[in-house]
C-alpha cells in the first residue's frame, strides 16, 4: 500500500463532489502531492467514483504532466523547440546534465531530480526557457545552471513570492500595442456596454464586427454564438481556450498576465449573449504559474459584482467562471479535444457533427473561443463594430496579435492590422536577413523570401499568431525535423493516419537528412503526407505534414542537395545493422569482394 | 521452388528466357546484365545483403517474391526479440544443450543483421509478388506479364499473403 | 416516401436512408460497400481507423460517424480514396506485427482482407517492429498486443455489450496501447471467452484458445470472395 494515497484520493473525489467529469482535478491533486498517480490511488478513485481503473489509466497515461510511476521530486523540463535550440538550449541542457549528474530523460539516483525535454512552453521570446515544477525560468545561459541547481538543493524554490531561483521570471512580451491593447482594461467598459443591450443585440454587434476566431481557424464568432444560443440544452457553456500550445505562440500568455479582465469581460459578455451561467477557462498546464494570479482576478471580480449573481446589477444574469488546468497535451488546443479533457477524459478529438455549439461541454451547447477573441469581444462592445472594422481587410477585420521570435532583434507580441505583409512584419521586428519564416507554428506555413509579400490574413496566411523567424545561418531541414518530432510527440493516437503517418514522415525526413534518400523516397514521403492530410480526423493530423510539404515546395533545392547518387541501393546502413552481431560475436564482417 | 509449380509451362518459359543465375544451377555470380531477377527471402545476414545488392546491380527489373522477401516472414519472428537474446536463448540456454554451449563464431558464417529486413528496405524493388509461397499461377501471371511488357495483375483468388 | 426518408447519392447512385442513420449504415442497407475496419454494425462508431473516409459534399469525412443528410453527395469508390485507404492499411501492417503466414486469423482477418481488396501487394513503409508483450494470463484467451490495430472494438463491446469495461487505451500517439482493467493482465479481469468483446476483434489480437484452425484453407471467410461481397450482394444478387 502506498502510504496516504488511498485516503488522499478519497478526499479529492469527495472534494470534487464525486463528479467523474472532474477527474482532471482529482488526479492533478494527487500528482501535486505525491509526484505521481499510483496504482493504489487509481484503485481508490475508481471505487469512489464507481468507474473502472482502466478508465482512469486511460486518462492519466495520456497527459505529459501526469505520471503513473514516481519520478524525481523536482521536475526540470527544458523547452525543446527550433527557437530554444538556436538560442543555445543545447548548452544549457548539457550544463543541467553536468550539474545533476544525469542525462536528459533520467531521474537522479536519490530521487531528487528528473530532467526532461518538453514541447514549447510559450516562452519563445525568452528562450532558452525551462519549467521547474510550475516555475518558469527564462533567458537561461549555462552559467546560470549551477546556481539554479544549488538553489534547488537548498530548497529555496517554495518561497512563493519573488524570483527566488535565478532567472525565475517572465518579462512582459508586449512590444507594439494597437487599438486592442490600448486604453483601460479593468474598467469593465465593454461589459457595461453589453449589459445595456438585449442579448441578441450583443450577438448582432459581434456579427457586424465580422470578428473571426483568433486561434487561427477563423470561424465567424457572431455565427458561432447565434448557433449556440439557438441550440436547445439544459445549460449553455462558455469556454475560453487558453491552451495556447502552438510552438512559437505566447500572445495569450500576455493577455492573461496583463489584460485578464479584458478576457474575462469577453467571457461574461458571451455568457450574457448566450444565456449561459457557467464559464470555464482551460489553461494550459505550462501556464500553471499564472493560476494564482488569475484566481485572484476572478475573486476581485466577484467582489466588484462582475462575476456571480446579478452581474453589474443586471437582475437575472448570473455567471461565474472556473479555471481548469490542463496537463501537457498540445491536442487539447483543438476545441473538441479540449472538451474531452475538460470532462476528465483523454484529449482525443470528437467527430463532428455534432458541433460544440450544439453538443459541447457535458453534452450541452457550448461556445469555445480563443483568449484573444474574447478580448476582441470586450473591445467591440466598448467601441462598436465600426471601430473594429476600421482596421484589417474586408475578410479579416480588426487587428491581430502576432507572437514573433527567433532570429530577430525585437522578439515579442505585436498588435498589427490584418493584411500586413510578412515583409512589413519582419521590418517591425528587425529581421532584415530572414531566410525562412514559419507562420502559424508547425501546423502553419513555411514561408520563403520569394513569398514575403504575402499577407497575414485569413484569406492568405491564416495564423493564430505564432511567427518563427530564421536567418540564413540556420539549417531549414533540421528545423523541419524538429517540427516532425513535435507532431510525433503530440499526436493523440486516436486515428491511424496521424498516429502512424507522423512517425513515418519523421523516419523519411531523417533518411533525407542523412543523405540516404532517393527521389523515390521523396515521392513516398509526399504520398504519406498527402494521406495524413486528407484522412486524419482532426486539424492536428490534417496539418502535421505542412512543414514537410511546405518546405518541399518552398525550398526544393535543400531536398535535392541531399539525394543519394545511387537510387537503386536504398538507405540501408549495413554497418549499423551489423553492429549488434559485431558486439555479440566479437569479430568484424568479412570484407566485401569486388 | 514454387516456380516449379507452373508445371509444363516451364517448357514454354525455357523457350522464352535464358536463366543466368539461380539455385537450380547453383551458380554464384552473374555473367552479364539480365532483364528480370526474382528475390526470395529477406535479408538476415551480411551475405544476404551483398547478394541482394549484386542482384540489384545486374537486374533491370527486380521482383520481391513471397512473404519472406516482402516482410521477413518466419525468420523475422526474431525481430521483436533482439539478436543477442535470440542467440543466447538458442545456443546458451536451449533445452537440448548439455554442459553449456557457445554461440557459433566461425569466419565462414556470415554475421547476422540486428534484425531480418525485407528486401525493399535494402535495395529498390520494382514489383512484389505476395504469397507464402505465391502459387504457381501467381508466379506465371507475374512472369508472363513482365515478359510481355504489361503490369502484373493478380486476380483475387491468387492475391494471397499466405 | 414519407418525411423521415432521406435521399442522397453515392457515386451517382441515389439511395435512401432514415433519420438517425449514418452514411455507412445507409450504404450497407442499400448494398453499397464502403471499406471499413474499426466499424462494427453492433457497436457505436468510433471513427478511429479512417478507412471508411468518403468525400462528402466535397470534404473528407468518416462514413461511420457522419449522419446521412438529405441531398448529400458522397464519393466512395474512387481511385484517390482507395489509394488513401490502401495507405492506411499499409500503415497498420507496418505499425504492428502482422505475419499472415503463421497467424490464426489468416483468411478470416479483416486487415488482411482489406489488403487483398484494395490491392496492397506489399507494405513498403519501414516496419516498426513494436515488440509488445504477449498476455497469456487468461485460461481461455490469448491477448497478442503486437497484432492490435487499436480499433477499439473490444473496448466498446466490453463496455456496452458486456457491461464489463475490461479494456481501455493507455498512452498516446505511436505509443498508444490496448490496456486491461487489472494490473496482472487479462486473467485478472472479468473477461470470459463468450464475451462479445472476445469475438469482435478484426485481427488476431484477441484469440480464443483451443478454437483455431478449424476451417480449412479455401473455405475461410475471405478465401473466395473479397470483404464486402456480402453487402454488395444485396445490390447485385448472384445470378
Amino acid at each position: 500500500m502506498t502510504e496516504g494515497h488511498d485516503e488522499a484520493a478519497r478526499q479529492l473525489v469527495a472534494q470534487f463532489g464525486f463528479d467523474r467529469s472532474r477527474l482532471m482535478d482529482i488526479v492533478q491533486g494527487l500528482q501535486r502531492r505525491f509526484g505521481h498517480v499510483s496504482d493504489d490511488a487509481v484503485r481508490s478513485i475508481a471505487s469512489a467514483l464507481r468507474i473502472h481503473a482502466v478508465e482512469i489509466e486511460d486518462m492519466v497515461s495520456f497527459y505529459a504532466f501526469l505520471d503513473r510511476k514516481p519520478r524525481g521530486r523536482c521536475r526540470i523540463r527544458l523547452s525543446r523547440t527550433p527557437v530554444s535550440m538556436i538560442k543555445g538550449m543545447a548548452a544549457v541542457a548539457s550544463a543541467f546534465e553536468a550539474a545533476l549528474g544525469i542525462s536528459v530523460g533520467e531521474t537522479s539516483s536519490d530521487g531528487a531530480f528528473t530532467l526532461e525535454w518538453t514541447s514549447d512552453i510559450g516562452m519563445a521570446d525568452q528562450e532558452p526557457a525551462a519549467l521547474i515544477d510550475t516555475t518558469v525560468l527564462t533567458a537561461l545561459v549555462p552559467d546560470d545552471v549551477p546556481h539554479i541547481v544549488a538553489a534547488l538543493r537548498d530548497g529555496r524554490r517554495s518561497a512563493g513570492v519573488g524570483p527566488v531561483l535565478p532567472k525565475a521570471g517572465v518579462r512582459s512580451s508586449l512590444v507594439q500595442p494597437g487599438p486592442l491593447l490600448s486604453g483601460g482594461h479593468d474598467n469593465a467598459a465593454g461589459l457595461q456596454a453589453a449589459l445595456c443591450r438585449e442579448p441578441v443585440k450583443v450577438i448582432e454587434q459581434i456579427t457586424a464586427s465580422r470578428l473571426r476566431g483568433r486561434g487561427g481557424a477563423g470561424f465567424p464568432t457572431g455565427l458561432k454564438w447565434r448557433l449556440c444560443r439557438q441550440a436547445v440544452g439544459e445549460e449553455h457553456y462558455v469556454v475560453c481556450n487558453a491552451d495556447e500550445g502552438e510552438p512559437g505562440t505566447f500572445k495569450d500568455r500576455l493577455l492573461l498576465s496583463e489584460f485578464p479582465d479584458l478576457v474575462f469581460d469577453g467571457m461574461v459578455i458571451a455568457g450574457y449573449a448566450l444565456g449561459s451561467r457557467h464559464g470555464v477557462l482551460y489553461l494550459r498546464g505550462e501556464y500553471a504559474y499564472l493560476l494564482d494570479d488569475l484566481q485572484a482576478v476572478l475573486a476581485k471580480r466577484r467582489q466588484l459584482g462582475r462575476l456571480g449573481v446579478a452581474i453589474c446589477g443586471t437582475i437575472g444574469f448570473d455567471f461565474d467562471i472556473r479555471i481548469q488546468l490542463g496537463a501537457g497535451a498540445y491536442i487539447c488546443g483543438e476545441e473538441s479535444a479540449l472538451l474531452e479533457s475538460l470532462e476528465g477524459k483523454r484529449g482525443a478529438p470528437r467527430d463532428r457533427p455534432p458541433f460544440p455549439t450544439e453538443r459541447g461541454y457535458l453534452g450541452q451547447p457550448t461556445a469555445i473561443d480563443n483568449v484573444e477573441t474574447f478580448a476582441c469581444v470586450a473591445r467591440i462592445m466598448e467601441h462598436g463594430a465600426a471601430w473594429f472594422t476600421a482596421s484589417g481587410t474586408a475578410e479579416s477585420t480588426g487587428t491581430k496579435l502576432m507572437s514573433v521570435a527567433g532570429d530577430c532583434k525585437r522578439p515579442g507580441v505585436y498588435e498589427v492590422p490584418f493584411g500586413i505583409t510578412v515583409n512589413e512584419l519582419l521590418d517591425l521586428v528587425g529581421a532584415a536577413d530572414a531566410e525562412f519564416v514559419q507562420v502559424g507554428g508547425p501546423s502553419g506555413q513555411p514561408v520563403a523570401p520569394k513569398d514575403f509579400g504575402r499577407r497575414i490574413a485569413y484569406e492568405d496566411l491564416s495564423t493564430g499568431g505564432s511567427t518563427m523567424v530564421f536567418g540564413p545561418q540556420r539549417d531549414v531541414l533540421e528545423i523541419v525535423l524538429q517540427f516532425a518530432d513535435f507532431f510525433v510527440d503530440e499526436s493523440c493516437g486516436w486515428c491511424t493516419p496521424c498516429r502512424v503517418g507522423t512517425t513515418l514522415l519523421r523516419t523519411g525526413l531523417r533518411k533525407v537528412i542523412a543523405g540516404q534518400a532517393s527521389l523515390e523516397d521523396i515521392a513516398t514521403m509526399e504520398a504519406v503526407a498527402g494521406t495524413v492530410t486528407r484522412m486524419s480526423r482532426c486539424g492536428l493530423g490534417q496539418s502535421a505534414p505542412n512543414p514537410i510539404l511546405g518546405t518541399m515546395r518552398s525550398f526544393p533545392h535543400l531536398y535535392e542537395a541531399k539525394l543519394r547518387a545511387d537510387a537503386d541501393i536504398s538507405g540501408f546502413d549495413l554497418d549499423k545493422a551489423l553492429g549488434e552481431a559485431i558486439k555479440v560475436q566479437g569479430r568484424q564482417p568479412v570484407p566485401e569482394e569486388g | 521452388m514454387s516456380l516449379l509449380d507452373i508445371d509444363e509451362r516451364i517448357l514454354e518459359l525455357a523457350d522464352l528466357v535464358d536463366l543466368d543465375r539461380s539455385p537450380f544451377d547453383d551458380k554464384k555470380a552473374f555473367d552479364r546484365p539480365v532483364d528480370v531477377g526474382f528475390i526470395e527471402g529477406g535479408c538476415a545476414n551480411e551475405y544476404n545483403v551483398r547478394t541482394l545488392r549484386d542482384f540489384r546491380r545486374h537486374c533491370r527489373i527486380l521482383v520481391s517474391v513471397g512473404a519472406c522477401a516482402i516482410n521477413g516472414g518466419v525468420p523475422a519472428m526474431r525481430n521483436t526479440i533482439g539478436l543477442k537474446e535470440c542467440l543466447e536463448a538458442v545456443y546458451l540456454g536451449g533445452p537440448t544443450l548439455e554442459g553449456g554451449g557457445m554461440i557459433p563464431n566461425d569466419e565462414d558464417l556470415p554475421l547476422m543483421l540486428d534484425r531480418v529486413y525485407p528486401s525493399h528496405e535494402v535495395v529498390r524493388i520494382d514489383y512484389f509478388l505476395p504469397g507464402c509461397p505465391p502459387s504457381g499461377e501467381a508466379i506465371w501471371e507475374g512472369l508472363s506479364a513482365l515478359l510481355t511488357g504489361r503490369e502484373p495483375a493478380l486476380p483475387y483468388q491468387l492475391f494471397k499473403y499466405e | 416516401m414519407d418525411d423521415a426518408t432521406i435521399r442522397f447519392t453515392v457515386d451517382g447512385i441515389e439511395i435512401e436512408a432514415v433519420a438517425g442513420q449514418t452514411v455507412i449504415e445507409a450504404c450497407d442497407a442499400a448494398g453499397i460497400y464502403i471499406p471499413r475496419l474499426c466499424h462494427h454494425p453492433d457497436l457505436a462508431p468510433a471513427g478511429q481507423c479512417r478507412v471508411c473516409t468518403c468525400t462528402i459534399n466535397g470534404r473528407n469525412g468518416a462514413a461511420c460517424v457522419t449522419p446521412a443528410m438529405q441531398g448529400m453527395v458522397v464519393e466512395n469508390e474512387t481511385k484517390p480514396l482507395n489509394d488513401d485507404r490502401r495507405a492506411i492499411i499499409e500503415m497498420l501492417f507496418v505499425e504492428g506485427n502482422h505475419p499472415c503466414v503463421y497467424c490464426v486469423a489468416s483468411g478470416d482477418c479483416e486487415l488482411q482482407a482489406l489488403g487483398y481488396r484494395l490491392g496492397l501487394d506489399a507494405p513498403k513503409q519501414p516496419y516498426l517492429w513494436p515488440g509488445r508483450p504477449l498476455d497469456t494470463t487468461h485460461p481461455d484467451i490469448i491477448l497478442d498486443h503486437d497484432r492490435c490495430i487499436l480499433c477499439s472494438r473490444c473496448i466498446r463491446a466490453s463496455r456496452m455489450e458486456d457491461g464489463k469495461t475490461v479494456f481501455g487505451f493507455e498512452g498516446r500517439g505511436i505509443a498508444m496501447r490496448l490496456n486491461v482493467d487489472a494490473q496482472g493482465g487479462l486473467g485478472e479481469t472479468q473477461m470470459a471467452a463468450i464475451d462479445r468483446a472476445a469475438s469482435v476483434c478484426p485481427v488476431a489480437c484477441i484469440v480464443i484458445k483451443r478454437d483455431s484452425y478449424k476451417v480449412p484453407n479455401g473455405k475461410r471467410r475471405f478465401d473466395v470472395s473479397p470483404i464486402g461481397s456480402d453487402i454488395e450482394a444485396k445490390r447485385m444478387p448472384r445470378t
Side-chain angles (χ1 to χ4, degrees):
Chain A
M1 208 26 132
T2 331
E3 197 69 39
H5 290 220
D6 172 61
E7 201 192 324
R10 286 177 189 285
Q11 277 173 4
L12 279 160
V13 172
Q15 185 190 327
F16 289 99
F18 297 88
D19 182 353
R20 195 244 177 267
S21 76
R22 300 301 295 274
L23 186 58
M24 180 64 98
D25 296 287
I26 295 165
V27 294
Q28 281 186 338
L30 291 158
Q31 175 79 29
R32 264 195 300 280
R33 181 154 166 204
F34 301 109
H36 72 295
V37 185
S38 66
D39 290 346
D40 286 337
V42 166
R43 260 194 295 273
S44 303
I45 300 168
S47 86
L49 286 178
R50 296 174 184 280
I51 59 175
H52 291 261
V54 74
E55 296 173 68
I56 298 163
E57 290 173 357
D58 187 307
M59 181 270 181
V60 174
S61 63
F62 184 82
Y63 295 95
F65 287 6
L66 298 174
D67 297 291
R68 292 283 289 113
K69 297 270 179 270
R71 307 293 303 273
R73 290 186 292 281
C74 174
R75 298 293 284 268
I76 302 174
R77 292 187 165 97
L78 308 175
S79 157
R80 185 170 59 177
T81 74
V83 173
S84 82
M85 296 315 270
I86 68 177
K87 298 293 176 186
M89 180 51 98
V92 172
S94 302
F96 270 107
E97 290 182 328
L100 297 169
I102 52 175
S103 299
V104 180
E106 292 180 348
T107 298
S108 61
S109 54
D110 60 357
F113 296 100
T114 295
L115 181 65
E116 58 200 347
W117 292 118
T118 187
S119 297
D120 191 289
I121 59 172
M123 298 290 155
D125 58 330
Q126 302 168 48
E127 294 283 2
L131 269 179
I132 297 197
D133 297 328
T134 57
T135 306
V136 182
L137 275 60
T138 57
L140 292 166
V141 293
D143 284 349
D144 294 330
V145 173
H147 305 293
I148 293 164
V149 172
L152 290 170
R153 290 198 196 278
D154 286 357
R156 270 187 280 151
R157 68 195 174 94
S158 53
V161 281
V164 178
L165 286 176
K167 299 290 183 74
V170 181
R171 65 169 165 76
S172 173
S173 295
L174 183 56
V175 183
Q176 177 179 298
L180 181 68
L181 300 184
S182 303
H185 55 84
D186 55 2
N187 55 7
L191 175 57
Q192 302 279 7
L195 294 177
C196 295
R197 292 178 164 82
E198 291 290 308
V200 286
K201 297 285 177 195
V202 172
I203 297 179
E204 281 172 18
Q205 176 107 333
I206 297 300
T207 307
S209 76
R210 304 204 299 280
L211 172 65
R212 296 170 69 174
R214 262 38 183 172
F219 193 83
T221 309
L223 175 58
K224 186 189 281 184
W225 287 15
R226 187 158 59 82
L227 293 171
C228 184
R229 185 180 167 83
Q230 286 167 353
V232 179
E234 291 157 23
E235 296 276 3
H236 283 60
Y237 290 96
V238 173
V239 175
C240 177
N241 182 347
D243 193 58
E244 178 183 42
E246 194 69 50
T249 187
F250 46 86
K251 49 101 186 165
D252 291 346
R253 187 192 85 217
L254 170 82
L255 287 170
L256 293 169
S257 42
E258 297 179 39
F259 302 86
D261 273 308
L262 209 53
V263 178
F264 290 137
D265 277 349
M267 290 180 71
V268 180
I269 292 166
Y272 178 69
L274 302 176
S276 162
R277 298 186 301 154
H278 306 283
V280 187
L281 182 130
Y282 186 96
L283 182 69
R284 69 185 301 217
E286 289 81 351
Y287 290 170
Y289 81 102
L290 292 173
L291 187 59
D292 289 347
D293 289 348
L294 288 170
Q295 297 286 18
V297 174
L298 291 179
K300 192 171 168 217
R301 290 184 68 97
R302 289 184 193 107
Q303 279 175 4
L304 293 172
R306 291 172 188 169
L307 271 185
V309 179
I311 288 177
C312 298
T314 309
I315 306 299
F317 176 43
D318 307 340
F319 186 83
D320 212 326
I321 294 172
R322 80 171 172 92
I323 299 174
Q324 174 70 62
L325 194 62
Y330 165 75
I331 185 63
C332 293
E334 197 281 339
E335 62 177 16
S336 67
L338 185 151
L339 291 174
E340 289 286 299
S341 184
L342 212 49
E343 293 177 7
K345 294 179 258 178
R346 66 167 41 228
R350 297 175 180 174
D351 280 293
R352 280 146 290 187
F355 290 92
T357 46
E358 200 183 320
R359 282 215 299 276
Y361 181 48
L362 302 174
Q364 303 301 318
T366 304
I368 310 176
D369 291 296
N370 181 264
V371 173
E372 186 183 343
T373 310
F374 282 118
C376 291
V377 162
R379 284 294 191 227
I380 291 165
M381 296 317 296
E382 184 181 350
H383 299 301
W387 168 86
F388 190 76
T389 55
S391 4
T393 69
E395 285 178 61
S396 313
T397 52
T399 56
K400 182 78 192 84
L401 299 184
M402 300 296 291
S403 315
V404 190
D407 290 319
C408 60
K409 293 201 183 76
R410 295 174 293 279
V413 173
Y414 291 74
E415 185 183 347
V416 296
F418 267 118
I420 189 174
T421 63
V422 175
N423 252 331
E424 288 161 348
L425 184 63
L426 291 174
D427 284 346
L428 278 180
V429 304
D433 66 344
E435 273 296 314
F436 166 36
V437 181
Q438 183 73 22
V439 176
S443 66
Q445 290 299 328
V447 183
K450 67 180 171 62
D451 295 321
F452 284 177
R454 291 183 63 182
R455 295 181 184 281
I456 305 291
Y458 297 109
E459 61 270 31
D460 190 357
L461 287 169
S462 184
T463 172
S466 166
T467 312
M468 288 180 262
V469 183
F470 301 101
Q473 71 276 37
R474 308 301 174 195
D475 184 336
V476 173
L477 294 185
E478 283 293 338
I479 293 165
V480 176
L481 179 60
Q482 291 189 45
F483 290 153
D485 281 337
F486 173 77
F487 286 114
V488 172
D489 291 343
E490 298 297 338
S491 167
C492 88
W494 189 268
C495 78
T496 316
C498 176
R499 183 182 69 239
V500 186
T502 49
T503 290
L504 296 179
L505 287 173
R506 176 171 70 177
T507 307
L509 192 60
R510 280 181 177 156
K511 198 169 171 184
V512 171
I513 289 173
Q516 302 281 15
S518 64
L519 202 57
E520 197 177 325
D521 291 322
I522 302 269
T524 303
M525 266 174 86
E526 246 183 311
V528 173
T531 297
V532 176
T533 304
R534 290 184 294 268
M535 304 296 270
S536 289
R537 190 182 199 215
C538 80
L540 189 153
Q542 289 158 12
S543 59
N546 281 358
I548 290 174
L549 287 174
T551 50
M552 279 180 175
R553 275 194 295 271
S554 298
F555 302 93
H557 55 283
L558 298 179
Y559 288 86
E560 283 158 20
K562 290 279 188 183
L563 292 186
R564 59 177 299 135
D566 184 354
D568 279 350
I569 306 297
S570 77
F572 177 74
D573 187 341
L574 180 59
D575 292 336
K576 197 171 150 223
L578 285 172
E580 201 176 342
I582 291 169
K583 214 158 49 186
V584 175
Q585 308 207 309
R587 69 179 164 92
Q588 291 299 311
V590 185
E592 193 163 2
E593 289 160 26
Chain B
M1 279 299 151
S2 56
L3 178 63
L4 299 179
D5 289 340
I6 65 174
D7 300 333
E8 70 281 2
R9 281 169 297 193
I10 200 145
L11 300 173
E12 197 178 328
L13 185 66
D15 287 341
L16 291 168
V17 303
D18 293 325
L19 218 54
D20 183 77
R21 174 181 177 183
S22 83
F24 302 132
D25 54 17
D26 202 29
K27 188 161 162 286
K28 296 281 194 271
F30 287 98
D31 291 332
R32 54 194 161 163
V34 303
D35 288 317
V36 180
F38 269 33
I39 297 297
E40 57 173 1
C43 285
N45 61 40
E46 51 174 333
Y47 174 77
N48 300 149
V49 172
R50 293 193 175 117
T51 307
L52 182 55
R53 284 177 172 170
D54 196 36
F55 264 78
R56 180 68 271 181
R57 281 188 199 102
H58 287 87
C59 303
R60 195 166 59 80
I61 294 169
L62 205 54
V63 188
S64 217
V65 183
C68 291
I70 285 173
N71 60 30
V74 172
M77 283 176 98
R78 73 169 165 95
N79 285 9
T80 58
I81 297 163
L83 177 61
K84 182 164 185 276
E85 203 182 323
C86 270
L87 288 173
E88 286 173 356
V90 174
Y91 294 109
L92 303 182
T96 57
L97 289 170
E98 279 181 19
M102 62 170 289
I103 295 172
N105 197 10
D106 193 287
E107 287 234 334
D108 288 341
L109 295 173
L111 283 179
M112 292 173 85
L113 306 180
D114 55 348
R115 54 184 165 87
V116 179
Y117 291 81
S119 45
H120 61 270
E121 288 188 26
V122 176
V123 300
R124 186 173 63 78
I125 297 289
D126 300 289
Y127 294 99
F128 298 86
L129 212 50
C132 185
S135 63
E137 294 294 326
I139 290 176
W140 180 250
E141 160 57 25
L143 264 176
S144 52
L146 292 174
L147 294 177
T148 54
R150 61 178 172 84
E151 289 292 305
L154 297 179
Y156 185 82
Q157 281 76 7
L158 298 185
F159 197 101
K160 293 284 175 264
Y161 300 154
E162 33 80 278
Chain C
M1 164 182 166
D2 60 66
D3 288 346
T5 305
I6 293 166
R7 286 172 189 276
F8 65 100
T9 64
V10 182
D11 295 330
I13 302 164
E14 188 172 88
I15 68 166
E16 288 184 358
V18 293
Q21 266 186 329
T22 60
V23 170
I24 211 169
E25 284 167 341
C27 286
D28 280 2
I32 293 175
Y33 175 70
I34 301 173
R36 82 288 302 269
L37 194 45
C38 71
H39 180 70
H40 189 287
D42 299 343
L43 305 173
Q48 293 204 267
C49 71
R50 312 315 279 186
V51 171
C52 74
T53 299
C54 292
T55 305
I56 301 170
N57 295 336
R59 290 173 66 97
N60 276 7
C64 69
V65 290
T66 304
M69 308 271 265
Q70 180 67 31
M72 257 178 178
V73 178
V74 178
E75 291 166 55
N76 168 43
E77 195 63 39
T78 68
K79 183 172 186 306
L81 282 169
N82 280 336
D83 285 349
D84 280 329
R85 290 165 179 162
R86 188 186 317 108
I88 290 177
I89 298 301
E90 180 179 4
M91 287 178 186
L92 288 168
F93 264 106
V94 300
E95 181 193 25
N97 194 6
H98 301 283
C100 299
V101 176
Y102 51 88
C103 178
V104 294
S106 195
D108 195 33
C109 167
E110 294 176 39
L111 179 70
Q112 182 192 57
L114 279 165
Y116 293 166
R117 180 171 175 123
L118 295 167
L120 175 67
D121 52 6
K124 287 137 210 166
Q125 299 293 336
Y127 287 87
L128 304 185
W129 300 115
R132 305 170 194 153
L134 190 69
D135 182 343
T136 56
T137 56
H138 196 284
D140 302 319
I141 301 165
I142 294 171
L143 200 55
D144 187 345
H145 287 281
D146 265 355
R147 291 175 185 164
C148 177
I149 56 167
L150 303 166
C151 70
S152 82
R153 278 192 193 176
C154 59
I155 298 177
R156 289 175 275 154
S158 183
R159 182 169 305 163
M160 304 309 293
E161 303 287 312
D162 304 327
K164 289 183 178 180
T165 310
V166 166
F167 298 101
F169 284 128
E170 190 174 28
R172 77 178 184 206
I174 195 72
M176 198 159 103
R177 299 284 180 269
L178 185 66
N179 187 22
V180 299
D181 192 38
Q183 295 301 320
L186 193 64
E188 288 183 8
T189 68
Q190 302 297 308
M191 183 84 179
I194 54 162
D195 285 355
R196 197 74 182 96
S199 62
V200 292
C201 183
V203 291
C205 171
I206 301 176
V207 178
I208 299 176
K209 292 183 187 173
R210 302 172 292 275
D211 192 38
S212 309
Y213 303 110
K214 286 189 174 158
V215 182
N217 196 328
K219 295 205 164 150
R220 300 166 306 179
R221 227 164 120 207
F222 304 119
D223 277 338
V224 181
S225 45
I227 187 169
S229 301
D230 50 341
I231 289 169
E232 288 167 326
K234 290 182 205 166
R235 181 163 193 84
M236 295 171 284
R238 287 213 185 90
T239 49

